[in-house]
Amino acid sequence: MSKTLRCKMKVAEVLQAKNADGEIDYESVKLNAVYGNTDENKEWSKWTPSAQFQIQINNPAAFNTLSKGHEYFVDFTPAS
């Protein structure tokens, strides 16, 4: 059976590693589960009270896509 799990996450930190020329080599992004600061988030945090993700982005086209303080959905879908 194929099931998707959706988490609502908030970006806690974005760190950019730059090379000697000042260009971004990669971004390291940390996300945490949302908590009950709104009615919607109270419902999300009730079912997923704790989660942490950290990703490293090496694709220049994706730099500056995720920003601190913003919320995103993260979906887990089984790979075939």
Side-chain angles (χ1 to χ4, degrees), residues 50-66:
S50 178
Q52 296 178 337
F53 300 117
Q54 182 170 343
I55 58 175
Q56 179 174 315
I57 300 170
N58 288 12
N59 181 354
F63 293 159
N64 299 307
T65 299
L66 302 176

Side-chain angles (χ1 to χ4, degrees), residues 3-76:
K3 211 174 199 183
T4 298
L5 172 66
R6 173 168 270 193
C7 299
K8 191 171 184 186
M9 307 294 292
K10 185 173 186 174
V11 177
E13 181 178 84
V14 178
L15 298 175
Q16 294 181 331
K18 297 185 179 183
N19 61 25
D21 295 326
E23 299 166 335
I24 302 170
D25 275 338
Y26 66 88
E27 288 183 335
S28 178
V29 182
K30 293 181 182 179
L31 300 99
N32 298 317
V34 298
Y35 52 88
N37 58 352
T38 66
D39 286 342
E40 179 185 4
N41 287 347
K42 285 178 187 175
E43 187 65 19
W44 278 98
S45 60
K46 173 180 162 185
W47 300 111
T48 310
S50 178
Q52 296 178 337
F53 300 117
Q54 182 170 343
I55 58 175
Q56 179 174 315
I57 300 170
N58 288 12
N59 181 354
F63 293 159
N64 299 307
T65 299
L66 302 176
S67 54
K68 184 176 179 177
H70 288 91
E71 297 174 354
Y72 299 91
F73 289 113
V74 177
D75 293 329
F76 291 91

